[in-house]
Amino acid sequence: MIFGGLTLFFVLGGIISSALKEMQLEYQLWAILGASPRQISRLVGVQLMILGLLSSIIGYFISLITVAPFYYLLQKNLGSDWLPTVPFKFSVLILIITSGIIAVTCFITGFIRTKKCLKQLDESKKTKQKFLNLSNLLTTVCLIGITIIIISILISSPINISAHPSIITNAEIQPLYFTLILLITLQLSSGRGLFPWIIFIMTKYLPTNKTAIGGTAQKQAIANSERITTTIIPLLIVQTLLVGLYELLFGFTSPNQIDIQNVVVSFIVYVGAPLILVIANIISLTMLNGRQQINNLVQLTQLGFTKLDLLKERLSENLIIFAVLLVASVFNSLILFTILALICFKTGVSLNISLLNIITISCVGAIITGIILTIIDWYIILQHHYCID
């Protein structure tokens, strides 16, 4: 619930920001006609609340139809010890609670995001400074928390349980779990401010900017840094969850003692919901940015880019995204691996996974992301070639 909730709030905020950007001219017109930022924010919040309410009601009934067969299929393969029989029945109370939470979340998120966007259009440095102060505060707390965890492990007395690794308790595993939560919170708090800067730095040193197409991709990546950040951070959260769960499941136990059923259930429970949200985020952002994408491709075509040049340009732009995601995910993996290695050292338990395995997970995740984003961009180019030409 914690991991899925954090991912949900960021994904929802990113989608709303993209939607507000698409409707920016309409909001400016409302402001010219006399509507105050608070009135516009309230109007957008109510619109999103109605959409959230309708979507949650539809989603609840869809879940009643789809969850039960999927759950019983897993139960059949994994056994009732891991997945006990649970009745999936219609409940008015659950429907009201679910719809209410989603509707209120949509209203609050829409209201705050709209107000923030409108004040940024008015170049309100005070509001921006408040937002930065909150982000900096959370970032500082997370960094201090991770530092305290590392120091506490280092100064703790060794507990030699190597002869009986099965007795390792939550007290020894908790530092890794808390580090995982802090890393995810750190990504959410500092990502919006940090990733545009990383993108700017990366574009200077990547070899793609030595050609005309690569130089255009560099400028495009910098201009679209906000959209890229909205795409990268949920993906980074899922990768961090995968690495953390991999370490929790395999780091303290030898391969021949691993319970495969436990592994399957754990991945479904901890990573399943965030992964579904990330997929929904990519689809939603692709739909929201479709018109802007086509307009951008038309402009590049007017500047002399051929269809092949457009394909290469999008590939170069996604290489930048791949590099940024890879660097960030490797950084997170190194922190988690360091915590795991320190715990194993202090408890005398053998470290059953290598740093190479952890980095491989980060590389594979970044490669898959780059391929998926490139396929989406190429599909848009090939599908709308008549508009571009």
Side-chain angles (χ1 to χ4, degrees), residues 120-303:
Q120 283 182 341
L121 290 175
D122 294 334
E123 298 180 350
S124 174
K125 296 181 180 179
K126 184 177 180 181
T127 301
K128 187 176 181 181
Q129 188 65 35
K130 286 182 179 179
F131 175 74
L132 290 177
N133 285 339
L134 178 60
S135 298
N136 291 338
L137 177 62
L138 286 174
T139 301
T140 303
V141 170
C142 292
L143 291 175
I144 292 175
I146 294 173
T147 304
I148 291 175
I149 289 174
I150 294 176
I151 294 175
S152 64
I153 296 175
L154 290 174
I155 65 176
S156 63
S157 302
I159 305 174
N160 192 350
I161 59 174
S162 58
H164 302 283
S166 59
I167 68 172
I168 191 167
T169 63
N170 288 334
E172 285 78 37
I173 298 177
Q174 277 179 354
L176 181 59
Y177 187 78
F178 287 140
T179 303
L180 185 60
I181 296 177
L182 288 173
L183 276 177
I184 292 175
T185 307
L186 180 64
Q187 294 159 18
L188 293 173
S189 63
S190 63
R192 290 192 181 278
L194 185 62
F195 275 107
W197 179 78
I198 295 178
I199 292 171
F200 178 77
I201 297 298
M202 294 288 289
T203 53
K204 282 190 172 183
Y205 298 101
L206 286 174
T208 55
N209 61 1
K210 295 182 180 180
T211 63
I213 294 176
T216 302
Q218 174 190 3
K219 299 298 188 298
Q220 292 274 77
I222 295 174
N224 297 324
S225 59
E226 183 178 350
R227 175 179 63 84
I228 294 173
T229 298
T230 306
T231 303
I232 284 180
I233 292 182
L235 291 167
L236 186 60
I237 289 175
V238 171
Q239 282 202 7
T240 306
L241 284 174
L242 283 172
V243 172
L245 187 58
Y246 175 69
E247 292 188 1
L248 287 168
L249 290 173
F250 297 93
F252 305 99
T253 309
S254 59
N256 57 350
Q257 295 178 332
I258 295 294
D259 189 338
I260 299 301
Q261 292 180 330
N262 180 22
V263 173
V264 174
V265 172
S266 298
F267 272 98
I268 291 174
V269 171
Y270 286 101
V271 185
L275 182 60
I276 293 174
L277 290 171
V278 167
I279 295 173
N281 178 60
I282 294 176
I283 295 174
S284 301
L285 289 177
T286 301
M287 295 172 63
L288 284 171
N289 295 304
R291 184 177 59 183
Q292 181 183 356
Q293 182 90 306
I294 295 174
N295 293 336
N296 178 254
L297 294 173
V298 171
Q299 292 174 353
L300 292 177
T301 302
Q302 292 173 346
L303 293 174

Side-chain angles (χ1 to χ4, degrees), residues 25-165:
L25 294 177
E26 184 177 345
Y27 297 147
Q28 288 176 330
L29 178 60
W30 291 351
I32 293 174
L33 294 176
S36 66
R38 179 176 290 274
Q39 290 173 330
I40 297 175
S41 301
R42 194 177 299 158
L43 176 61
V44 175
V46 172
Q47 289 176 335
L48 293 172
M49 181 181 70
I50 294 173
L51 287 174
L53 181 63
L54 294 175
S55 300
S56 62
I57 293 174
I58 296 173
Y60 178 77
F61 285 104
I62 292 177
S63 69
L64 287 177
I65 299 173
T66 58
V67 170
F70 178 71
Y71 183 87
Y72 291 132
L73 177 63
L74 290 175
Q75 185 189 56
K76 181 179 179 181
N77 290 277
L78 299 176
S80 57
D81 291 337
W82 284 105
L83 298 174
T85 301
V86 178
F88 294 95
K89 298 180 180 179
F90 172 77
S91 171
V92 176
L93 179 61
I94 298 299
L95 174 61
I96 294 174
I97 293 175
T98 304
S99 302
I101 291 175
I102 294 178
V104 171
T105 301
C106 288
F107 175 80
I108 294 175
T109 308
F111 182 85
I112 294 175
R113 292 279 181 179
T114 305
K115 196 171 182 180
K116 176 176 172 289
C117 289
L118 291 173
K119 288 190 175 182
Q120 283 182 341
L121 290 175
D122 294 334
E123 298 180 350
S124 174
K125 296 181 180 179
K126 184 177 180 181
T127 301
K128 187 176 181 181
Q129 188 65 35
K130 286 182 179 179
F131 175 74
L132 290 177
N133 285 339
L134 178 60
S135 298
N136 291 338
L137 177 62
L138 286 174
T139 301
T140 303
V141 170
C142 292
L143 291 175
I144 292 175
I146 294 173
T147 304
I148 291 175
I149 289 174
I150 294 176
I151 294 175
S152 64
I153 296 175
L154 290 174
I155 65 176
S156 63
S157 302
I159 305 174
N160 192 350
I161 59 174
S162 58
H164 302 283

